[in-house]
Amino acid sequence: EAGVAQSPRYKIIEKRQSVAFWCNPISGHATLYWYQQILGQGPKLLIQFQNNGVVDDSQLPKDRFSAERLKGVDSTLKIQPAKLEDSAVYLCASSGRDRLSGNTIYFGEGSWLTVV
Amino acid sequence: AQSVSQHNHHVILSEAASLELGCNYSYGGTVNLFWYVQYPGQHLQLLLKYFSGDPLVKGIKGFEAEFIKSKFSFNLRKPSVQWSDTAEYFCAVNAGNFNKFYFGSGTKLNVKP
């Protein structure tokens, strides 16, 4: 089974520039998450989708961050304009119901962003 | 608000020492519990999970965790650590109606050869 795919893996941009990250979740997973992980900290949820609807975006800085999940599959996360404090790893994850019971969240390899 | 607490931020052990990492959560309803591991430069990987049944769950690489409902805890253990266990460990809770996952701040484990 293919995992969560993310691109690009690494990106270096100057402050005030824009950047976009792409995510393809595990096939069949209805829930997709974008997390921000700053070095030395745990993942912080930015936005959660259920199919193509937003479940939670309470911690998304909406003045500069936007995300969409058209057709309920792939998703993009955009930052415009970027600030120095946006330097972090952006993790995409998806979850679905295991055959036995419950939900498990699976992570992609992350997109490492450095803002200079 | 739901929260997950990992009290040990940084643990240093010698090889063959025993490991126990603490995890406590605040949620009164039904929860699913997880431990994830992040090796240096790699992505978060599932170590083990608890949904129901036997509160002692075994995961990969000799790790196990015990769910103690009365203490709202899900501590991770390994009898004898190896240098290759050097990584950051995250406890996570899946709770609520909207398939939310809450993560602790992580514990960095450094195993000295």
Side-chain angles (χ1 to χ4, degrees), chain A residues 47-60:
Chain A
I47 188 166
Q48 177 181 340
F49 292 95
Q50 181 74 15
N51 296 309
N52 60 348
V54 175
V55 172
D56 184 353
D57 63 356
S58 57
Q59 297 195 83
L60 186 74

Side-chain angles (χ1 to χ4, degrees), chain A residues 31 33 35 37 42 48 55-56 91 95 98 101 103-105 107-109, chain B residues 32 34 36 38 43-44 46 49 51 90 94 98-101 103-105:
Chain A
T31 312
Y33 313 78
Y35 286 87
Q37 187 177 19
Q48 177 181 340
V55 172
D56 184 353
L91 300 169
S95 74
D98 291 338
S101 64
N103 290 296
T104 301
I105 188 170
F107 287 88
E109 293 191 336
Chain B
N32 298 321
F34 305 82
Y36 285 83
Q38 189 170 33
H43 66 291
L44 284 153
L46 180 66
K49 59 187 176 184
F51 289 155
F90 293 91
N94 171 227
F98 298 104
N99 200 16
K100 291 181 177 294
F101 285 81
F103 285 84
S105 56

Side-chain angles (χ1 to χ4, degrees), chain B:
Chain B
Q2 289 74 27
S3 67
V4 181
S5 299
Q6 293 182 243
H7 305 295
N8 313 106
H9 298 294
H10 197 179
V11 173
I12 301 173
L13 295 172
S14 297
E15 275 194 316
S18 64
L19 169 72
E20 181 160 3
L21 301 182
C23 173
N24 289 90
Y25 63 92
S26 62
Y27 187 75
T30 301
V31 295
N32 298 321
L33 300 161
F34 305 82
W35 276 96
Y36 285 83
V37 60
Q38 189 170 33
Y39 298 105
Q42 295 189 26
H43 66 291
L44 284 153
Q45 302 170 41
L46 180 66
L47 201 54
L48 49 79
K49 59 187 176 184
Y50 170 80
F51 289 155
S52 63
D54 188 344
L56 183 64
V57 292
K58 296 189 183 299
I60 59 172
K61 303 184 181 184
F63 285 91
E64 63 180 31
E66 184 175 13
F67 170 49
I68 302 179
K69 189 174 182 179
S70 60
K71 295 185 178 180
F72 296 88
S73 70
F74 190 56
N75 292 355
L76 180 71
R77 299 196 293 248
K78 186 171 184 178
S80 176
V81 295
Q82 301 173 319
W83 176 78
S84 58
D85 293 325
T86 294
E88 190 158 15
Y89 294 81
F90 293 91
C91 181
V93 173
N94 171 227
N97 295 328
F98 298 104
N99 200 16
K100 291 181 177 294
F101 285 81
Y102 303 92
F103 285 84
S105 56
T107 298
K108 286 187 180 176
L109 172 64
N110 191 349
V111 180
K112 298 185 293 184

Side-chain angles (χ1 to χ4, degrees), chain A residues 100-115:
Chain A
L100 294 177
S101 64
N103 290 296
T104 301
I105 188 170
Y106 297 93
F107 287 88
E109 293 191 336
S111 293
W112 298 64
L113 174 66
T114 301
V115 182

Side-chain angles (χ1 to χ4, degrees), chain A residues 27-79:
Chain A
S27 177
H29 280 190
T31 312
L32 184 148
Y33 313 78
W34 283 102
Y35 286 87
Q36 180 192 58
Q37 187 177 19
I38 293 172
L39 192 65
Q41 299 181 17
K44 169 190 160 186
L45 180 68
L46 292 175
I47 188 166
Q48 177 181 340
F49 292 95
Q50 181 74 15
N51 296 309
N52 60 348
V54 175
V55 172
D56 184 353
D57 63 356
S58 57
Q59 297 195 83
L60 186 74
K62 297 181 186 65
D63 57 333
R64 298 183 299 106
F65 286 65
S66 64
E68 60 182 10
R69 190 184 185 197
L70 300 176
K71 301 180 183 178
V73 181
D74 293 9
S75 177
T76 56
L77 175 71
K78 296 179 182 177
I79 308 174

